[in-house]
CSV table of all heavy atoms in Angstrom, one decimal:
chain,number,residue,atom,x,y,z
A,1,MET,N,113.0,104.1,109.9
A,1,MET,CA,114.4,103.7,109.8
A,1,MET,C,114.9,104.1,108.4
A,1,MET,O,114.2,104.0,107.4
A,1,MET,CB,114.6,102.2,110.0
A,1,MET,CG,116.0,101.7,110.1
A,1,MET,SD,116.0,100.0,110.7
A,1,MET,CE,115.7,100.3,112.4
A,2,ARG,N,116.1,104.5,108.3
A,2,ARG,CA,116.7,104.9,107.0
A,2,ARG,C,118.1,104.3,106.8
A,2,ARG,O,118.9,104.3,107.7
A,2,ARG,CB,116.7,106.5,107.0
A,2,ARG,CG,117.2,107.0,105.6
A,2,ARG,CD,117.0,108.5,105.6
A,2,ARG,NE,117.3,109.1,104.3
A,2,ARG,CZ,116.5,109.1,103.3
A,2,ARG,NH1,115.2,108.7,103.5
A,2,ARG,NH2,116.8,109.6,102.1
A,3,ILE,N,118.3,103.9,105.6
A,3,ILE,CA,119.6,103.3,105.3
A,3,ILE,C,120.5,104.4,104.8
A,3,ILE,O,120.2,105.2,103.9
A,3,ILE,CB,119.5,102.3,104.1
A,3,ILE,CG1,118.5,101.1,104.5
A,3,ILE,CG2,120.8,101.7,103.7
A,3,ILE,CD1,118.2,100.2,103.3
A,4,LEU,N,121.7,104.5,105.5
A,4,LEU,CA,122.7,105.5,105.1
A,4,LEU,C,123.9,104.8,104.4
A,4,LEU,O,124.3,103.7,104.9
A,4,LEU,CB,123.2,106.3,106.3
A,4,LEU,CG,122.1,107.0,107.2
A,4,LEU,CD1,122.7,107.6,108.4
A,4,LEU,CD2,121.3,108.0,106.3
A,5,ALA,N,124.4,105.4,103.4
A,5,ALA,CA,125.5,104.7,102.7
A,5,ALA,C,126.6,105.8,102.5
A,5,ALA,O,126.4,106.9,102.0
A,5,ALA,CB,125.1,104.3,101.3
A,6,ASN,N,127.8,105.4,103.0
A,6,ASN,CA,129.0,106.2,102.9
A,6,ASN,C,129.8,105.8,101.7
A,6,ASN,O,130.6,104.8,101.8
A,6,ASN,CB,129.8,106.2,104.2
A,6,ASN,CG,131.0,107.1,104.2
A,6,ASN,OD1,131.3,107.6,103.1
A,6,ASN,ND2,131.7,107.2,105.3
A,7,THR,N,129.6,106.4,100.6
A,7,THR,CA,130.3,105.9,99.3
A,7,THR,C,131.8,106.2,99.4
A,7,THR,O,132.5,105.6,98.6
A,7,THR,CB,129.7,106.6,98.1
A,7,THR,OG1,129.7,108.0,98.2
A,7,THR,CG2,128.3,106.1,97.9
A,8,SER,N,132.3,107.0,100.3
A,8,SER,CA,133.7,107.3,100.4
A,8,SER,C,134.5,106.1,101.0
A,8,SER,O,135.7,106.0,100.8
A,8,SER,CB,134.0,108.5,101.2
A,8,SER,OG,133.7,108.4,102.5
A,9,VAL,N,133.7,105.2,101.7
A,9,VAL,CA,134.4,104.0,102.2
A,9,VAL,C,133.9,102.7,101.5
A,9,VAL,O,134.5,101.6,101.7
A,9,VAL,CB,134.3,103.8,103.7
A,9,VAL,CG1,134.9,105.0,104.4
A,9,VAL,CG2,132.8,103.7,104.1
A,10,CYS,N,132.9,102.8,100.7
A,10,CYS,CA,132.4,101.6,99.9
A,10,CYS,C,133.5,101.1,99.0
A,10,CYS,O,134.2,101.9,98.3
A,10,CYS,CB,131.2,102.0,99.1
A,10,CYS,SG,130.6,100.8,97.9
A,11,ILE,N,133.7,99.8,99.1
A,11,ILE,CA,134.8,99.2,98.2
A,11,ILE,C,134.2,98.4,97.0
A,11,ILE,O,134.9,97.7,96.3
A,11,ILE,CB,135.7,98.3,99.0
A,11,ILE,CG1,134.9,97.1,99.7
A,11,ILE,CG2,136.5,99.1,100.0
A,11,ILE,CD1,135.8,96.1,100.4
A,12,GLY,N,132.9,98.5,96.9
A,12,GLY,CA,132.2,97.9,95.7
A,12,GLY,C,132.2,96.4,95.8
A,12,GLY,O,132.1,95.7,94.7
A,13,ALA,N,132.1,95.9,97.0
A,13,ALA,CA,132.1,94.4,97.1
A,13,ALA,C,130.8,93.8,96.6
A,13,ALA,O,130.7,92.6,96.3
A,13,ALA,CB,132.4,94.0,98.5
A,14,GLY,N,129.7,94.6,96.7
A,14,GLY,CA,128.4,94.1,96.1
A,14,GLY,C,127.6,93.2,97.1
A,14,GLY,O,126.6,92.7,96.7
A,15,GLN,N,128.1,93.0,98.3
A,15,GLN,CA,127.4,92.1,99.2
A,15,GLN,C,125.9,92.7,99.4
A,15,GLN,O,125.0,91.9,99.6
A,15,GLN,CB,128.1,92.0,100.6
A,15,GLN,CG,129.4,91.3,100.5
A,15,GLN,CD,129.2,89.8,100.2
A,15,GLN,OE1,128.1,89.3,100.3
A,15,GLN,NE2,130.2,89.2,99.8
A,16,CYS,N,125.8,94.0,99.5
A,16,CYS,CA,124.5,94.6,99.7
A,16,CYS,C,123.5,94.3,98.6
A,16,CYS,O,122.4,94.0,98.8
A,16,CYS,CB,124.6,96.1,99.9
A,16,CYS,SG,125.5,96.9,98.6
A,17,VAL,N,124.0,94.3,97.4
A,17,VAL,CA,123.2,94.0,96.2
A,17,VAL,C,122.8,92.5,96.2
A,17,VAL,O,121.6,92.2,95.9
A,17,VAL,CB,123.9,94.3,94.9
A,17,VAL,CG1,123.0,94.1,93.7
A,17,VAL,CG2,124.4,95.8,94.9
A,18,PHE,N,123.7,91.6,96.6
A,18,PHE,CA,123.3,90.2,96.7
A,18,PHE,C,122.3,90.0,97.8
A,18,PHE,O,121.4,89.2,97.7
A,18,PHE,CB,124.6,89.4,97.0
A,18,PHE,CG,125.5,89.2,95.8
A,18,PHE,CD1,126.8,89.6,95.9
A,18,PHE,CD2,125.0,88.6,94.7
A,18,PHE,CE1,127.7,89.4,94.8
A,18,PHE,CE2,125.9,88.4,93.6
A,18,PHE,CZ,127.2,88.8,93.7
A,19,THR,N,122.4,90.8,98.9
A,19,THR,CA,121.5,90.6,100.0
A,19,THR,C,120.1,91.1,99.7
A,19,THR,O,119.1,90.5,100.0
A,19,THR,CB,122.1,91.3,101.2
A,19,THR,OG1,123.4,90.9,101.5
A,19,THR,CG2,121.2,91.1,102.5
A,20,ASP,N,120.0,92.3,99.0
A,20,ASP,CA,118.7,92.8,98.7
A,20,ASP,C,118.8,93.7,97.4
A,20,ASP,O,119.0,94.9,97.5
A,20,ASP,CB,118.2,93.7,99.9
A,20,ASP,CG,116.7,94.0,99.7
A,20,ASP,OD1,116.2,93.8,98.6
A,20,ASP,OD2,116.1,94.5,100.7
A,21,PRO,N,118.6,93.0,96.3
A,21,PRO,CA,118.8,93.7,95.0
A,21,PRO,C,117.6,94.7,94.8
A,21,PRO,O,117.8,95.6,93.9
A,21,PRO,CB,118.7,92.6,94.0
A,21,PRO,CG,118.1,91.4,94.6
A,21,PRO,CD,118.4,91.6,96.1
A,22,GLU,N,116.6,94.7,95.6
A,22,GLU,CA,115.5,95.7,95.5
A,22,GLU,C,115.9,97.0,96.2
A,22,GLU,O,115.3,98.0,95.9
A,22,GLU,CB,114.2,95.1,96.0
A,22,GLU,CG,113.6,94.0,95.2
A,22,GLU,CD,112.4,93.4,95.8
A,22,GLU,OE1,111.8,94.0,96.8
A,22,GLU,OE2,111.9,92.4,95.2
A,23,ALA,N,116.8,96.9,97.1
A,23,ALA,CA,117.1,98.0,98.0
A,23,ALA,C,118.5,98.7,97.6
A,23,ALA,O,118.7,99.8,97.8
A,23,ALA,CB,117.2,97.6,99.4
A,24,PHE,N,119.4,97.8,96.9
A,24,PHE,CA,120.7,98.3,96.6
A,24,PHE,C,121.1,98.1,95.2
A,24,PHE,O,120.7,97.0,94.6
A,24,PHE,CB,121.7,97.6,97.5
A,24,PHE,CG,121.5,97.8,99.0
A,24,PHE,CD1,120.9,96.9,99.7
A,24,PHE,CD2,121.9,99.0,99.6
A,24,PHE,CE1,120.7,97.1,101.1
A,24,PHE,CE2,121.7,99.2,101.0
A,24,PHE,CZ,121.1,98.2,101.7
A,25,ASP,N,121.9,99.0,94.6
A,25,ASP,CA,122.5,98.8,93.3
A,25,ASP,C,123.9,99.3,93.4
A,25,ASP,O,124.3,99.9,94.4
A,25,ASP,CB,121.6,99.5,92.2
A,25,ASP,CG,121.9,98.9,90.8
A,25,ASP,OD1,122.8,98.1,90.7
A,25,ASP,OD2,121.3,99.4,89.9
A,26,GLN,N,124.6,99.2,92.3
A,26,GLN,CA,126.0,99.7,92.2
A,26,GLN,C,126.0,100.6,91.0
A,26,GLN,O,125.5,100.3,89.9
A,26,GLN,CB,127.0,98.6,92.2
A,26,GLN,CG,127.2,97.9,93.5
A,26,GLN,CD,128.1,96.7,93.3
A,26,GLN,OE1,127.6,95.6,92.9
A,26,GLN,NE2,129.3,96.8,93.7
A,27,ASP,N,126.7,101.7,91.1
A,27,ASP,CA,126.9,102.6,90.0
A,27,ASP,C,128.0,102.1,89.0
A,27,ASP,O,128.6,101.0,89.3
A,27,ASP,CB,127.2,104.1,90.4
A,27,ASP,CG,128.5,104.3,91.1
A,27,ASP,OD1,129.4,103.4,91.0
A,27,ASP,OD2,128.7,105.3,91.7
A,28,ASP,N,128.3,102.8,88.0
A,28,ASP,CA,129.3,102.3,87.0
A,28,ASP,C,130.7,102.1,87.6
A,28,ASP,O,131.5,101.3,87.1
A,28,ASP,CB,129.4,103.3,85.8
A,28,ASP,CG,128.1,103.3,85.0
A,28,ASP,OD1,127.3,102.3,85.1
A,28,ASP,OD2,127.9,104.2,84.2
A,29,SER,N,131.0,102.8,88.7
A,29,SER,CA,132.2,102.6,89.4
A,29,SER,C,132.2,101.5,90.5
A,29,SER,O,133.2,101.2,91.1
A,29,SER,CB,132.7,103.9,90.0
A,29,SER,OG,132.8,104.9,89.0
A,30,GLY,N,131.0,100.9,90.7
A,30,GLY,CA,130.9,99.9,91.7
A,30,GLY,C,130.4,100.4,93.0
A,30,GLY,O,130.2,99.6,93.9
A,31,PHE,N,130.3,101.7,93.2
A,31,PHE,CA,129.8,102.2,94.5
A,31,PHE,C,128.4,102.0,94.7
A,31,PHE,O,127.5,102.1,93.8
A,31,PHE,CB,130.2,103.7,94.6
A,31,PHE,CG,131.7,104.0,94.5
A,31,PHE,CD1,132.2,104.9,93.6
A,31,PHE,CD2,132.5,103.3,95.4
A,31,PHE,CE1,133.5,105.1,93.6
A,31,PHE,CE2,133.9,103.6,95.3
A,31,PHE,CZ,134.4,104.5,94.4
A,32,VAL,N,128.0,101.8,95.9
A,32,VAL,CA,126.6,101.5,96.3
A,32,VAL,C,125.7,102.6,96.0
A,32,VAL,O,126.0,103.8,96.1
A,32,VAL,CB,126.5,101.1,97.8
A,32,VAL,CG1,126.9,102.3,98.7
A,32,VAL,CG2,125.1,100.6,98.1
A,33,VAL,N,124.5,102.3,95.5
A,33,VAL,CA,123.4,103.2,95.3
A,33,VAL,C,122.2,102.6,96.0
A,33,VAL,O,121.9,101.5,95.8
A,33,VAL,CB,123.0,103.3,93.8
A,33,VAL,CG1,121.8,104.2,93.6
A,33,VAL,CG2,124.2,103.9,93.0
A,34,VAL,N,121.7,103.4,96.9
A,34,VAL,CA,120.5,102.9,97.7
A,34,VAL,C,119.2,103.2,96.9
A,34,VAL,O,118.9,104.4,96.7
A,34,VAL,CB,120.5,103.6,99.1
A,34,VAL,CG1,119.3,103.0,99.9
A,34,VAL,CG2,121.8,103.3,99.9
A,35,LEU,N,118.6,102.2,96.5
A,35,LEU,CA,117.4,102.3,95.7
A,35,LEU,C,116.1,102.6,96.6
A,35,LEU,O,115.2,103.2,96.2
A,35,LEU,CB,117.1,101.1,94.9
A,35,LEU,CG,118.2,100.7,93.9
A,35,LEU,CD1,117.9,99.3,93.3
A,35,LEU,CD2,118.5,101.7,92.9
A,36,ARG,N,116.2,102.0,97.8
A,36,ARG,CA,115.0,102.1,98.7
A,36,ARG,C,115.5,102.4,100.1
A,36,ARG,O,115.8,101.5,100.9
A,36,ARG,CB,114.2,100.8,98.7
A,36,ARG,CG,112.9,100.9,99.4
A,36,ARG,CD,112.2,99.5,99.6
A,36,ARG,NE,113.1,98.6,100.3
A,36,ARG,CZ,113.2,97.3,100.0
A,36,ARG,NH1,112.6,96.7,99.1
A,36,ARG,NH2,114.1,96.5,100.7
A,37,PRO,N,115.7,103.7,100.4
A,37,PRO,CA,116.4,104.1,101.6
A,37,PRO,C,115.6,103.9,102.9
A,37,PRO,O,116.1,103.8,104.0
A,37,PRO,CB,116.6,105.6,101.4
A,37,PRO,CG,115.7,106.0,100.3
A,37,PRO,CD,115.4,104.9,99.5
A,38,GLU,N,114.2,103.8,102.7
A,38,GLU,CA,113.4,103.6,104.0
A,38,GLU,C,112.7,102.3,103.9
A,38,GLU,O,111.6,102.2,103.3
A,38,GLU,CB,112.5,104.8,104.1
A,38,GLU,CG,113.2,106.1,104.4
A,38,GLU,CD,112.3,107.2,104.9
A,38,GLU,OE1,111.1,106.9,105.1
A,38,GLU,OE2,112.8,108.3,104.9
A,39,PRO,N,113.2,101.2,104.5
A,39,PRO,CA,112.5,99.9,104.6
A,39,PRO,C,111.2,100.1,105.3
A,39,PRO,O,111.1,100.8,106.4
A,39,PRO,CB,113.4,99.0,105.3
A,39,PRO,CG,114.4,99.9,105.9
A,39,PRO,CD,114.5,101.1,105.2
A,40,LYS,N,110.1,99.5,104.8
A,40,LYS,CA,108.8,99.7,105.4
A,40,LYS,C,108.3,98.4,106.2
A,40,LYS,O,107.9,98.5,107.3
A,40,LYS,CB,107.7,100.0,104.3
A,40,LYS,CG,108.0,101.3,103.5
A,40,LYS,CD,107.8,102.5,104.4
A,40,LYS,CE,108.0,103.8,103.5
A,40,LYS,NZ,108.4,104.9,104.3
A,41,THR,N,108.5,97.3,105.5
A,41,THR,CA,108.0,96.1,106.1
A,41,THR,C,109.0,95.5,107.0
A,41,THR,O,110.2,95.8,107.0
A,41,THR,CB,107.6,95.1,105.0
A,41,THR,OG1,108.8,94.6,104.4
A,41,THR,CG2,106.6,95.7,104.0
A,42,ALA,N,108.6,94.5,107.8
A,42,ALA,CA,109.5,93.8,108.7
A,42,ALA,C,110.6,93.0,107.9
A,42,ALA,O,111.8,93.0,108.2
A,42,ALA,CB,108.8,92.8,109.6
A,43,ALA,N,110.2,92.5,106.7
A,43,ALA,CA,111.1,91.7,105.9
A,43,ALA,C,112.1,92.7,105.3
A,43,ALA,O,113.3,92.4,105.2
A,43,ALA,CB,110.3,91.0,104.8
A,44,GLU,N,111.7,93.9,104.8
A,44,GLU,CA,112.6,94.8,104.2
A,44,GLU,C,113.6,95.3,105.3
A,44,GLU,O,114.8,95.5,105.0
A,44,GLU,CB,111.8,96.0,103.7
A,44,GLU,CG,111.0,95.7,102.4
A,44,GLU,CD,110.2,96.8,101.9
A,44,GLU,OE1,110.1,97.9,102.6
A,44,GLU,OE2,109.5,96.6,100.9
A,45,THR,N,113.1,95.5,106.5
A,45,THR,CA,114.0,96.0,107.6
A,45,THR,C,115.0,94.9,107.9
A,45,THR,O,116.2,95.2,108.2
A,45,THR,CB,113.1,96.3,108.8
A,45,THR,OG1,112.2,97.4,108.5
A,45,THR,CG2,114.0,96.8,110.0
A,46,ALA,N,114.6,93.7,108.0
A,46,ALA,CA,115.5,92.6,108.3
A,46,ALA,C,116.6,92.5,107.2
A,46,ALA,O,117.8,92.3,107.6
A,46,ALA,CB,114.7,91.3,108.4
A,47,ARG,N,116.2,92.6,106.0
A,47,ARG,CA,117.2,92.6,104.9
A,47,ARG,C,118.2,93.8,105.0
A,47,ARG,O,119.4,93.6,104.7
A,47,ARG,CB,116.6,92.5,103.5
A,47,ARG,CG,116.0,91.1,103.2
A,47,ARG,CD,115.8,90.9,101.7
A,47,ARG,NE,114.8,91.8,101.2
A,47,ARG,CZ,113.5,91.6,101.2
A,47,ARG,NH1,113.0,90.5,101.7
A,47,ARG,NH2,112.7,92.5,100.7
A,48,ALA,N,117.6,94.9,105.3
A,48,ALA,CA,118.5,96.1,105.5
A,48,ALA,C,119.5,95.9,106.6
A,48,ALA,O,120.7,96.2,106.4
A,48,ALA,CB,117.7,97.3,105.8
A,49,LYS,N,119.1,95.3,107.7
A,49,LYS,CA,120.0,95.0,108.8
A,49,LYS,C,121.1,94.0,108.4
A,49,LYS,O,122.2,94.1,108.8
A,49,LYS,CB,119.2,94.5,110.0
A,49,LYS,CG,118.4,95.7,110.7
A,49,LYS,CD,117.6,95.1,111.9
A,49,LYS,CE,116.9,96.3,112.6
A,49,LYS,NZ,116.0,95.8,113.7
A,50,GLU,N,120.6,93.0,107.6
A,50,GLU,CA,121.6,92.0,107.2
A,50,GLU,C,122.6,92.6,106.3
A,50,GLU,O,123.8,92.3,106.4
A,50,GLU,CB,120.8,90.9,106.4
A,50,GLU,CG,121.7,89.7,106.1
A,50,GLU,CD,120.9,88.6,105.4
A,50,GLU,OE1,119.6,88.8,105.2
A,50,GLU,OE2,121.5,87.6,105.0
A,51,ALA,N,122.2,93.5,105.4
A,51,ALA,CA,123.1,94.1,104.5
A,51,ALA,C,124.1,95.0,105.2
A,51,ALA,O,125.3,95.0,104.9
A,51,ALA,CB,122.4,95.0,103.5
A,52,VAL,N,123.7,95.7,106.3
A,52,VAL,CA,124.6,96.5,107.1
A,52,VAL,C,125.6,95.6,107.7
A,52,VAL,O,126.8,95.9,107.8
A,52,VAL,CB,123.8,97.3,108.1
A,52,VAL,CG1,124.7,97.9,109.2
A,52,VAL,CG2,122.9,98.4,107.5
A,53,ASN,N,125.1,94.5,108.3
A,53,ASN,CA,126.1,93.6,109.0
A,53,ASN,C,127.1,92.9,108.0
A,53,ASN,O,128.2,92.6,108.4
A,53,ASN,CB,125.3,92.5,109.7
A,53,ASN,CG,124.6,93.1,110.9
A,53,ASN,OD1,125.0,94.1,111.5
A,53,ASN,ND2,123.4,92.5,111.3
A,54,LEU,N,126.6,92.7,106.8
A,54,LEU,CA,127.5,91.9,105.8
A,54,LEU,C,128.5,92.9,105.1
A,54,LEU,O,129.5,92.4,104.5
A,54,LEU,CB,126.6,91.2,104.8
A,54,LEU,CG,125.9,90.0,105.3
A,54,LEU,CD1,125.0,89.4,104.2
A,54,LEU,CD2,126.9,88.9,105.8
A,55,CYS,N,128.2,94.1,105.0
A,55,CYS,CA,129.1,95.0,104.3
A,55,CYS,C,130.5,95.0,104.9
A,55,CYS,O,130.7,95.3,106.0
A,55,CYS,CB,128.6,96.5,104.4
A,55,CYS,SG,129.7,97.7,103.6
A,56,PRO,N,131.5,94.6,104.1
A,56,PRO,CA,132.8,94.4,104.6
A,56,PRO,C,133.6,95.7,104.9
A,56,PRO,O,134.5,95.7,105.7
A,56,PRO,CB,133.6,93.7,103.4
A,56,PRO,CG,132.8,94.0,102.2
A,56,PRO,CD,131.4,94.2,102.6
A,57,SER,N,133.1,96.8,104.4
A,57,SER,CA,133.8,98.1,104.7
A,57,SER,C,133.0,99.0,105.6
A,57,SER,O,133.4,100.1,105.8
A,57,SER,CB,134.0,98.8,103.3
A,57,SER,OG,132.8,99.2,102.8
A,58,ARG,N,131.9,98.5,106.2
A,58,ARG,CA,131.1,99.2,107.1
A,58,ARG,C,130.6,100.5,106.5
A,58,ARG,O,130.5,101.6,107.1
A,58,ARG,CB,131.9,99.6,108.4
A,58,ARG,CG,132.3,98.3,109.2
A,58,ARG,CD,131.2,98.0,110.2
A,58,ARG,NE,131.4,96.7,110.8
A,58,ARG,CZ,130.6,95.7,110.7
A,58,ARG,NH1,129.4,95.8,110.0
A,58,ARG,NH2,130.8,94.5,111.2
A,59,ALA,N,130.3,100.5,105.2
A,59,ALA,CA,129.8,101.6,104.5
A,59,ALA,C,128.3,101.9,104.7
A,59,ALA,O,127.9,103.0,104.5
A,59,ALA,CB,130.1,101.5,103.0
A,60,LEU,N,127.7,100.9,105.2
A,60,LEU,CA,126.2,101.1,105.4
A,60,LEU,C,125.9,101.2,106.9
A,60,LEU,O,126.5,100.6,107.8
A,60,LEU,CB,125.5,99.8,104.9
A,60,LEU,CG,125.7,99.6,103.4
A,60,LEU,CD1,125.0,98.3,103.0
A,60,LEU,CD2,125.2,100.7,102.6
A,61,SER,N,124.9,102.0,107.2
A,61,SER,CA,124.4,102.1,108.6
A,61,SER,C,122.9,102.4,108.5
A,61,SER,O,122.3,102.7,107.5
A,61,SER,CB,125.1,103.2,109.4
A,61,SER,OG,125.0,104.4,108.7
A,62,LEU,N,122.2,102.2,109.7
A,62,LEU,CA,120.8,102.5,109.8
A,62,LEU,C,120.6,103.6,110.8
A,62,LEU,O,121.3,103.7,111.8
A,62,LEU,CB,120.1,101.3,110.3
A,62,LEU,CG,120.0,100.1,109.3
A,62,LEU,CD1,119.4,98.9,110.0
A,62,LEU,CD2,119.3,100.4,108.1
A,63,ALA,N,119.7,104.5,110.5
A,63,ALA,CA,119.4,105.6,111.3
A,63,ALA,C,117.9,105.7,111.6
A,63,ALA,O,117.1,105.4,110.7
A,63,ALA,CB,119.8,107.0,110.7
A,64,GLU,N,117.6,106.0,112.8
A,64,GLU,CA,116.1,106.1,113.1
A,64,GLU,C,115.6,107.4,112.5
A,64,GLU,O,116.3,108.4,112.5
A,64,GLU,CB,115.9,106.2,114.6
A,64,GLU,CG,116.2,104.9,115.3
A,64,GLU,CD,115.3,103.8,114.9
A,64,GLU,OE1,114.1,104.1,114.5
A,64,GLU,OE2,115.7,102.6,114.9
A,65,VAL,N,114.4,107.4,111.9
A,65,VAL,CA,113.8,108.6,111.3
A,65,VAL,C,112.8,109.1,112.3
A,65,VAL,O,111.9,108.3,112.7
A,65,VAL,CB,113.2,108.2,110.0
A,65,VAL,CG1,112.4,109.5,109.4
A,65,VAL,CG2,114.2,107.7,109.0
A,66,PRO,N,112.9,110.3,112.8
A,66,PRO,CA,111.9,110.8,113.7
A,66,PRO,C,110.5,110.8,113.2
A,66,PRO,O,110.3,111.0,112.0
A,66,PRO,CB,112.4,112.3,113.9
A,66,PRO,CG,113.7,112.4,113.4
A,66,PRO,CD,113.9,111.3,112.4
A,67,ALA,N,109.6,110.4,114.0
A,67,ALA,CA,108.2,110.3,113.6
A,67,ALA,C,107.7,111.7,113.2
A,67,ALA,O,108.0,112.7,113.9
A,67,ALA,CB,107.3,109.7,114.7
A,68,SER,N,107.0,111.9,112.1
A,68,SER,CA,106.5,113.2,111.7
A,68,SER,C,105.1,113.4,112.1
A,68,SER,O,104.4,112.5,112.5
A,68,SER,CB,106.7,113.4,110.2
A,68,SER,OG,106.0,112.3,109.5
B,1,SF4,S1,128.5,95.7,100.5
B,1,SF4,FE1,129.3,97.6,101.3
B,1,SF4,S2,131.3,97.8,100.2
B,1,SF4,FE2,130.0,96.4,99.1
B,1,SF4,S3,128.9,97.6,97.5
B,1,SF4,FE3,127.6,97.4,99.3
B,1,SF4,S4,128.0,99.3,100.5
B,1,SF4,FE4,129.7,99.0,99.1
């Protein structure tokens, strides 16, 4: 699973950073920066899903990563 961030719709609300500061940060303009794009553990995946659901601008989404 991979976290995708669309910075063109991010409004800098910071909910993702509050939800998981290890996975998300904001740049100097407030736009989301994904620090850990591929959650590994169940807890990391759960927080990623929570961040996606809480983002007020729908800037975040999750994509399946094909097995290699
Ligand atoms: S919660 Fe959404 S709008 Fe807010 S900083 Fe994160 S990605 Fe951007």
